[in-house]
Every structure is written in C-alpha cells, then in structure tokens.
Amino acid sequence: MPKSVFITGAAAGIGRATALKFAARGYTVGGYDLNEAGLASLADDIAAAGGAPLTGRLDVTDYDEFAARLAEFTEAAGGLNVLVNNAGILFGGRLQDIDPADHRRLIDVNCKGVVNGCQAALPALRATGDATVVNLCSASAMYGQPELAVYSATKFFVRGLTEALDLEWGEYGIRVIAMWPLFVQTAMVDGLDIGSLDTTGVHLSGDDVADAILAAVEPGPLDRLTHRVHYSVGLQAELAATITHYAPSWASRLLHKYVSHS
Ligand SMILES: NC(=O)c1ccc[n+]([C@@H]2O[C@H](COP(=O)([O-])OP(=O)(O)OC[C@H]3O[C@@H](n4cnc5c(N)ncnc54)[C@H](O)[C@@H]3O)[C@@H](O)[C@H]2O)c1
C-alpha cells in the first residue's frame, strides 16, 4: 500500500506544488481546498502523470467538514501517513487599515484551521503509525512583523502549537514539524506592498518549499536523532533564524525595524 498525504490549500501555490511532488514520489495524494476549479486542474495533472489523486472541497475552519474529508480519504487510501496543514491567507497593511472581519477570518483560517486539522487527524495518524504532521509556519514568526501584525501572530500560534504537539504526540510516534519560508512567489504575495517584502524581495518558489517539505517528511538519521521540529526554507530564512536566535532582543528589534522600513 503506498504512503498517503492529505494536503489543505492544495489548489494553488505551495499546496499545489507539494501535492505534485508527493504524487511524483508515489504517495496517494489527497488535495483539499475551497477552490474546486484549482483542485480539478491539480487532479488532471496528477492523473496525467499516472497518479490517482483524491480531491474535495474543504473549508479548514469547519471542524466537522475537516473530519469528514479526512475519514473519506483515510478509508480510500488505507491510512494517513502525512497531514500537511498548508491552507492559509494573508492581509497586509497597518492593523487599523484592515477590516476587522478580515482579521477574524485570518485568525480562523491560519489558527483554527490548523487546530482542526491536527485534532481531526489524530486518530488516523495514530492508527497508521510513524506519521508526520507538517504545519506551514513562516519566517514572520521569528519577530512580530509590522504591516503583517495579525498574520505574523497567527504564525507564532502555529509555531507554539507545533512545538507542543510534537512533545504531546511523541509517545504515539507522530512527528509534528513546522516549515519556515520567507516570501514565496505565490498568489499570496501578488500585489503585496509592504516594507519587508520591498527589502528582502521574493527568492523562493512553491517548488522550493515543496522540496523542503518532502525532505523534512523523510528525514535523515541526524534529524531523527535530534527530533528536529523547525525547518527554515532558503538561505534568507536560515540566516534570519540564526540572527534572531543569537542576537540580543534589542538587536533583533533594530534588524526587523530596518527590514520593515518602520
Ligand atoms: N507565499 C508566501 O510568501 C508564504 C511564506 C511563508 C509561509 N506561507 C504559508 O504557506 C501556506 C500556503 O501559502 P501560499 O503562498 O501557497 O498561498 P496561496 O494563496 O497561493 O494558496 C493558499 C491556498 O489555500 C486555500 N485556502 C484559503 N482559505 C482556505 C480555507 N478556509 N480552507 C481551505 N483552503 C483554503 C486557497 O484557496 C489557496 O488555494 C500558507 O499557510 C502561508 O501562510 C506562505
């Protein structure tokens, strides 16, 4: 029986690239999203390459819907080896310039969506054994980001949830890991006009992140031995993580002030 992966937000961007990479690796892929046209095109591409994907509409903010799609997929695929909590949204701008309803939606999708996925998937992940949960965090969880304040706060949430569940679920043999890319060329950053993006530019593609996810899900002996939880993606994120880790907090503040043009 091939291994299986359930990916949210799979219709576009990083999720779509990740679905294609896992399919090429021989996994049974489940792609779920609100965007059904994007899912149909993903399914066509995987099928054209000889795969047999499962796709379906899913709003990650709805726990019952999430549990239902996971149950259908797990039954059809014969288990659940990997869950990728990838669906996410972003609104850029100063806090007061963003509609309060958009702030609430951002928190619902980026935080509640990941909690829903983890909780709904746990029974299937436990039953399968040696399973992995991959949560899409972000370099914006290294230091609070001006003009991305709520988005960046949601990624701090994802970081905390990942670390806690990695410890809670170790006894079940489930790895819970977080991916930390800086800006990636997807629809999420199209038209985004903020200082930090202006300073750093965009140097990652969806494929780069998908490659990093695949490598993290099939870790080498050192990552297994050290129970690695956090995976920076790309040189810029690696550098930022190292500086943020070792620099005193005043220096981190100054760095992020400079980068964000604040
Ligand atoms: N693009 C970046 O610069 C970047 C950087 C770091 C982290 N990330 C994270 O990577 C993940 C993927 O981002 P992306 O750049 O591919 O974005 P994207 O906008 O290209 O794709 C996101 C996908 O999620 C889907 N989605 C949105 N709300 C949903 C919901 N409620 N239920 C189900 N699906 C939903 C969208 O329809 C879309 O297909 C996000 O969690 C994002 O925060 C992105």
Side-chain angles (χ1 to χ4, degrees), residues 9-15 32-35 58-61 86-89 105 109-110 136-139 151 155 181-184 186-189:
I14 294 168
Y32 296 85
D33 203 295
L34 289 171
N35 172 356
L58 167 64
D59 181 344
V60 295
T61 66
N86 165 76
I89 58 175
R105 178 85 186 140
V109 176
N110 293 13
L136 266 291
C137 192
S138 156
Y151 175 81
K155 295 302 180 179
L182 214 132
F183 294 112
V184 186
T186 68
M188 186 172 272
V189 302

Side-chain angles (χ1 to χ4, degrees), residues 26 29 31 47 85 110 127 129 138 142 151-152 154 179 209-210 223 235 254:
V29 171
N85 282 311
N110 293 13
S138 156
M142 290 174 195
Y151 175 81
S152 118
T154 66
M179 308 306 298
V209 184
D223 284 2
L235 207 61
L254 271 186

Side-chain angles (χ1 to χ4, degrees), residues 113-187:
V114 180
V115 176
N116 285 344
C118 290
Q119 188 156 15
L122 179 59
L125 295 166
R126 278 187 77 171
T128 305
D130 194 25
T132 308
V133 177
V134 182
N135 293 329
L136 266 291
C137 192
S138 156
S140 67
M142 290 174 195
Y143 197 95
Q145 292 299 304
E147 299 180 289
L148 290 178
V150 176
Y151 175 81
S152 118
T154 66
K155 295 302 180 179
F156 274 80
F157 178 98
V158 170
R159 171 192 183 153
L161 185 74
T162 303
E163 290 171 348
L165 294 184
D166 163 65
L167 292 174
E168 279 191 21
W169 293 358
E171 66 177 285
Y172 310 139
I174 300 171
R175 295 173 68 226
V176 186
I177 62 175
M179 308 306 298
W180 294 65
L182 214 132
F183 294 112
V184 186
Q185 194 56 67
T186 68

Side-chain angles (χ1 to χ4, degrees), residues 180-182 203-204 208-209 212 231-241:
W180 294 65
L182 214 132
H203 300 284
L204 289 172
D208 294 328
V209 184
Y231 289 82
S232 301
V233 184
L235 207 61
Q236 280 181 318
E238 190 67 57
L239 198 64

